[in-house]
């Protein structure tokens, strides 16, 4: 048994203890929890390592280290330990993302060696709802996307990602990993859109899903259709599907400067309960 404060890579046998920590904050941890529930803790299947921080022989905090670096229920002492490990390993991630407090501390420790970042989004309000608003009627034309519609949906997904992140997901490997992720969401029934004349007008996905909470992502309205309220009615439709079919709590996070989106989500029934932070490389 580990009796001192220490950090190590978790193994499949640690799954129960890791899930207990992840599920203690089901909304904030939805992204990583959804991956662990499907893939376990084997690094090859998980797509990265899960680091565990122990104190007095007990697992207290986690940090997912893959395409993203994500601190989970991390205390200040755990953050320092995770930063030390990340510095030794060198940067392998494309972003650091997580609850604003721990992520701010983690980036402060890593920035001297890993910086400068391409962009730091220090305050991304986390919004949550268990009930849809009665004031916004769901768009009846928003529906689940079928596998045969991948070619129709993909250009909208690429446009959304490029607009939001600032780089194209088709760079690097030619978009193979990104296309695989889009296909995965479609196959799992978590991709939704309104399509008119063969083009996507509105789209969104349920990106992370557990039995306790799920997270909506990739909300996008075609530029020529903006200003018509489609983000509200479209989100109301996706929210209806999410609450009925996926989880009792639905969340999302949004950039603090995107005032129109924050107001639209509030009208649909979301309330702000915290904040995330993203560091993009």
């Amino acid at each position: 048994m580990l009796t001192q404060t220490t950090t190590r890579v978790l193994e499949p046998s640690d799954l129960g203890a890791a899930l207990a920590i992840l599920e203690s904050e089901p909304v904030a941890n939805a992204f990583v929890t959804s991956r662990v529930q499907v893939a376990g803790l084997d690094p090859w299947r998980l797509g990265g390592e899960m680091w565990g921080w122990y104190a007095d022989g007990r697992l207290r905090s986690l940090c997912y280290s893959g395409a993203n670096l994500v601190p989970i229920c991390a205390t200040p002492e755990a953050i320092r330990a995770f930063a030390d490990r990340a510095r030794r390993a060198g940067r392998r991630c494309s972003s650091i993302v997580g609850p604003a407090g721990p992520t701010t501390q983690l980036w402060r420790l890593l920035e001297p060696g890993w910086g400068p970042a391409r962009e730091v989004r220090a305050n991304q309000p986390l919004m949550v709802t268990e009930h849809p608003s009665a004031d916004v009627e769901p768009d009846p034309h928003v529906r689940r996307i079928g596998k045969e519609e991948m070619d129709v949906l993909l250009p909208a997904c690429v446009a959304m990602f490029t607009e939001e992140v600032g780089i194209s997901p088709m760079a690097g490997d030619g978009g193979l990993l990104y296309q695989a992720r889009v296909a995965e969401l479609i196959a799992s029934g978590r991709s939704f859109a309104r399509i008119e004349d063969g083009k996507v007008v509105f789209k969104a996905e349920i990106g992370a899903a557990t039995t306790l909470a799920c997270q909506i992502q990739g909300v996008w309205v075609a530029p020529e259709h903006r200003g018509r309220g489609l983000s509200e009615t479209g989100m109301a439709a996706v929210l209806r599907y999410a609450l009925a079919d996926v989880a009792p709590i639905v969340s999302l996070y949004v950039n603090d400067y995107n005032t129109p989106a924050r107001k639209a989500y509030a009208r649909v029934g979301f309330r702000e309960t915290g904040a995330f932070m993203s560091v993009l490389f």
Side-chain angles (χ1 to χ4, degrees), residues 48-68:
E49 295 178 340
M50 185 69 79
W51 302 340
W53 180 78
Y54 287 79
D56 300 323
R58 286 186 56 194
L59 183 63
R60 308 280 186 169
S61 300
L62 306 172
C63 185
Y64 172 72
S65 176
N68 316 104

Side-chain angles (χ1 to χ4, degrees), residues 130-152:
E130 300 88 3
H131 308 284
S133 170
D135 298 331
V136 179
E137 190 69 24
D139 185 344
H141 300 290
V142 171
R143 56 178 176 79
R144 279 192 170 91
I145 296 301
K147 296 179 182 179
E148 73 282 357
E149 296 175 296
M150 171 79 173
D151 290 343
V152 176

Side-chain angles (χ1 to χ4, degrees), residues 6-21:
T6 189
T7 306
R8 68 174 177 87
V9 178
L10 298 188
E11 301 174 352
S13 59
D14 300 307
L15 180 60
L19 282 173
I21 290 177

Side-chain angles (χ1 to χ4, degrees), residues 61-89:
S61 300
L62 306 172
C63 185
Y64 172 72
S65 176
N68 316 104
L69 189 66
V70 186
I72 301 156
C73 300
T75 65
E77 189 174 357
I79 287 291
R80 289 191 291 272
F82 293 145
D84 287 342
R85 189 177 192 98
R87 276 194 298 263
R88 292 195 301 269

Side-chain angles (χ1 to χ4, degrees), residues 92-110:
R92 303 172 185 174
C93 59
S94 60
S95 69
I96 305 172
V97 61
T103 305
T104 297
Q105 183 186 0
L106 183 59
W107 176 233
R108 187 178 297 121
L109 295 171
L110 290 175

Side-chain angles (χ1 to χ4, degrees), residues 1 20 37 43 53 58 69 89 127-128 182 213 268:
M1 178 180 290
Q37 286 181 341
W53 180 78
R58 286 186 56 194
L69 189 66
M127 307 186 74
V128 173
V182 173
V268 174

